[in-house]
Amino acid sequence: MKLKEIYNLAINKGIEADFRGKEEIERLLKRRKEKYDKLSIEEKKSFDLESLEDPYSDSRILNIAEDKEIKKILVGIDIDPAEILLAKEVGKVDLIISHHPLGKGLVHLSEVMELQCDVLNQYGVPINIAEGLMKERIDEVARGINAKNHQRTVDAARILKLNLMCLHTPCDSLAAKFLKDQIEKKDNLIRLEDLLGFLKEIPEYKEAAKIGAGPKIFVGSPERRCGKIAITEITGGTEGSPRLYEKMAQAGIGTIIGMHISEEHKKEAEAANINVVIAGHISSDSLGVNLFLDELEKQGIQIVPCSGLIRVSRLRK
Ligand SMILES: [Fe+2]
């Protein structure tokens, strides 16, 4: 497979797993195009043209050093210049994939957060409330990212002539869909301890638990009942608005499964009596990345995991 084929496969897998559904994403892209067509020549110059084709602004091809057949990939959760050097050291690495966004993908991270509005709406939060509260938070995230050194790792890849891409939301959506499908199949997830037990059976979480980073209850206690379990915080860029917990409770959500949670968000969840089970950050990221990497492994591509990625192949079962 070539670079662009790998990238397109990730985007398509992301769309398949996206809770919004294919049609809604097509509508979104169509709307973007219509808005673009109405821009002035000057405005078009700085427009992010890739966003017209790809719905995931945090996932990009960042450096093409050589457009060759990809046989070996170094994949990590965070790729820094250290991992770029590592790829050189490992040798014969045709492509480096970072899960967390870098370069242009990092600059545009906040744009994928729109996804959360639709997901919240599916769980019963009125769309006007979801959009209203998310808007503030999206702006806040965009301002926070603005100060970062976006191109640092991309520059390292360019200097060492290595192909680089980042795949964020498509992989997170694969993890979210996996968890949602599995949970819907179960009828014995009554209490938080049951939910915790279920998560701990997933290989990535089992592995993380060995170093003490397994799934944990952050709000609630083992004997508390789950109520309606929502997967609102696994995909969609980063944490949403803390003010949403109260609205989620009103919408009938009892328990949230998340990757990580800030203290401010935890306090709000507590105040709203929403249980929070934190599955784990790097382990949840690994789950989503693994589901995509299996597709590459099927094509005979060799995978070298690094930077926290707990590689589990579901092909060899
Ligand atoms: Fe992450």
Side-chain angles (χ1 to χ4, degrees), residues 99-100 168 259 281 285:
H99 173 57
H100 285 147
H168 190 230
M259 283 202 198
H281 184 189
D285 280 341

Side-chain angles (χ1 to χ4, degrees), residues 13 20 24 59 68 80 92 158 166 171 237 262 273 280 295:
K13 287 283 156 195
R20 292 171 294 185
E24 182 55 35
S59 304
K68 58 182 169 184
D80 285 332
K92 293 198 166 117
R158 183 178 46 76
C166 61
C171 295
S262 73
N273 287 301
E295 299 297 324

Side-chain angles (χ1 to χ4, degrees), residues 77-78 99-101 168 172 234 237 259-260 281-282 284-285:
I77 303 301
D78 294 288
H99 173 57
H100 285 147
H168 190 230
D172 284 348
I234 297 287
M259 283 202 198
H260 45 82
H281 184 189
I282 304 307
S284 300
D285 280 341

Side-chain angles (χ1 to χ4, degrees), residues 193-207 209 214-216:
E193 59 193 3
D194 304 326
L195 182 58
L196 216 53
F198 153 75
L199 288 171
K200 284 180 179 169
E201 284 305 306
I202 296 172
E204 286 84 349
Y205 298 132
K206 209 186 256 181
E207 201 51 41
K216 290 181 179 71

